[in-house]
Amino acid sequence: MNNVQCTVIIPAAGKGKRMKHDKSKQYIEIDGKPILAYTIDAFEKCDEIQNIILVVGKEEVDYCRKEIVEKYKFQKIIAILEGGKERQDSVYEGIKKVPEDSDIVLIHDGARPFVGAEQIKQTIDNGIRYGACVLGVKVKDTIKVVDDDNNIVDTPNRNNLWAIQTPQTFKKELITLAYQKAQNDNYCATDDSMLVEKYLDIKIKMVEGIYSNIKITTTEDLVIAKNFIHQ
Ligand SMILES: Nc1ccn([C@@H]2O[C@H](COP(=O)(O)OP(=O)(O)OP(=O)(O)O)[C@@H](O)[C@H]2O)c(=O)n1
Ligand SMILES: C[C@](O)(CO)[C@H](O)COP(=O)(O)O
């Protein structure tokens, strides 16, 4: 498909409670640059992406405009929006502002700064081909299902278990419909593809990603991130 128009929504309106830092984790600096700026950079440099929609906390819109978008001279940002209570609410704000002429919508966590151009392109290719795909990696550990009393109740076959990352990439009309239905139902999911699983009768393709595409969540992840940048 030639001339495919792609918009990425970057939800970055979270508080980063699990990080226990004095500022939201996406604004923590590594080598003087905020984590969110590394994330935006990945999409700014990717030729397949035309538009970036940034969704941030209400109090952070001006800061992001001045200290991230203007300072790092990002050219593809078409909107800086206020996010909502949950990640899903923030993404929905972005979905409502995707330009009419966009064919493909990517959704990528602001706190996932090490996504590579190759992975972005692969999800776009699969999004075009299948309508919906997510990036993920096979789990390395054995995973147990445990009940509320910490008793093991099941050990699923590891060959079928993947840890899910972003980008999650969709044809615009599909992800828009899934989000509209979920928001109407007050159904809250932990990733975008769950909404497509619940509301649309289509297969979602798993695209094999890279282990370094971590989401910065707790303090240990900052150590990994610093090492990654310095290697
Ligand atoms: N209301 C929210 C909550 C989360 N996010 C964003 O969604 C991504 C993934 O969420 P997560 O890692 O859970 O971030 P936080 O909610 O900030 O973390 P925590 O759960 O530890 O508070 C992050 O880029 C985060 O900023 C968002 O845009 N709006
Ligand atoms: C979308 C996601 O990054 C996939 O791993 C993840 O589910 C975000 O969820 P969190 O619970 O807000 O960390």
Side-chain angles (χ1 to χ4, degrees):
M1 208 161 135
N2 290 326
N3 297 319
V4 176
Q5 296 291 306
C6 298
T7 295
V8 59
I9 298 167
I10 300 183
K15 301 249 183 292
K17 290 188 206 127
R18 286 170 287 181
M19 182 59 75
K20 299 185 174 72
H21 196 277
D22 55 7
K23 57 173 130 176
S24 298
K25 61 190 180 184
Q26 58 273 30
Y27 303 115
I28 295 173
E29 295 181 3
I30 301 178
D31 283 2
K33 180 169 164 176
I35 285 170
L36 182 57
Y38 287 96
T39 307
I40 298 170
D41 239 353
F43 292 91
E44 185 81 19
K45 287 180 181 147
C46 181
D47 292 338
E48 281 75 9
I49 299 290
Q50 285 75 39
N51 310 304
I52 300 173
I53 295 176
L54 196 53
V55 190
V56 301
K58 190 175 175 190
E59 315 300 330
E60 294 148 4
V61 174
D62 285 343
Y63 166 84
C64 281
R65 185 174 296 112
K66 288 189 196 111
E67 297 301 322
I68 299 209
V69 179
E70 290 175 11
K71 181 169 175 187
Y72 293 95
K73 299 185 170 52
F74 291 127
Q75 302 294 312
K76 294 184 182 173
I77 302 215
I78 56 164
I80 306 174
L81 308 173
E82 278 176 29
K85 187 165 176 286
E86 305 294 338
R87 178 187 183 277
Q88 187 173 315
D89 302 314
S90 299
V91 173
Y92 190 50
E93 291 307 310
I95 284 187
K96 289 188 273 185
K97 297 290 180 197
V98 172
E100 275 290 311
D101 66 353
S102 286
D103 306 292
I104 293 290
V105 175
L106 298 85
I107 302 167
H108 183 77
D109 297 322
R112 221 179 257 281
F114 304 126
V115 62
E118 188 51 38
Q119 287 71 48
I120 297 172
K121 284 179 197 159
Q122 278 183 29
T123 72
I124 292 172
D125 288 346
N126 280 274
I128 293 167
R129 187 154 177 203
Y130 300 105
C133 72
V134 303
L135 206 58
V137 284
K138 291 179 179 175
V139 298
K140 295 180 187 175
D141 296 319
T142 295
I143 305 291
K144 303 281 183 187
V145 180
V146 176
D147 69 15
D148 292 342
D149 296 322
N150 273 13
N151 296 312
I152 291 169
V153 292
D154 194 15
T155 306
N157 182 348
R158 192 167 66 181
N159 295 331
N160 301 116
L161 294 175
W162 293 64
I164 300 310
Q165 306 175 340
T166 61
Q168 304 202 355
T169 300
F170 311 90
K171 287 192 173 149
K172 184 183 74 180
E173 61 277 12
L174 296 181
I175 194 64
T176 304
L177 184 61
Y179 257 88
Q180 283 166 343
K181 285 177 180 279
Q183 295 298 109
N184 281 341
D185 275 2
N186 283 326
Y187 172 75
C188 192
T190 53
D191 81 340
D192 312 289
S193 65
M194 273 175 77
L195 307 185
V196 176
E197 284 169 57
K198 182 169 169 71
Y199 292 108
L200 306 183
D201 187 22
I202 63 160
K203 287 198 169 133
I204 304 166
K205 202 49 131 184
M206 176 65 68
V207 181
E208 187 151 15
I210 48 173
Y211 288 95
S212 55
N213 181 25
I214 59 166
K215 180 161 71 64
I216 310 283
T217 306
T218 54
T219 47
E220 302 80 20
D221 299 326
L222 284 179
V223 178
I224 298 168
K226 279 177 196 155
N227 284 338
F228 189 72
I229 283 169
H230 290 152
Q231 79 186 4

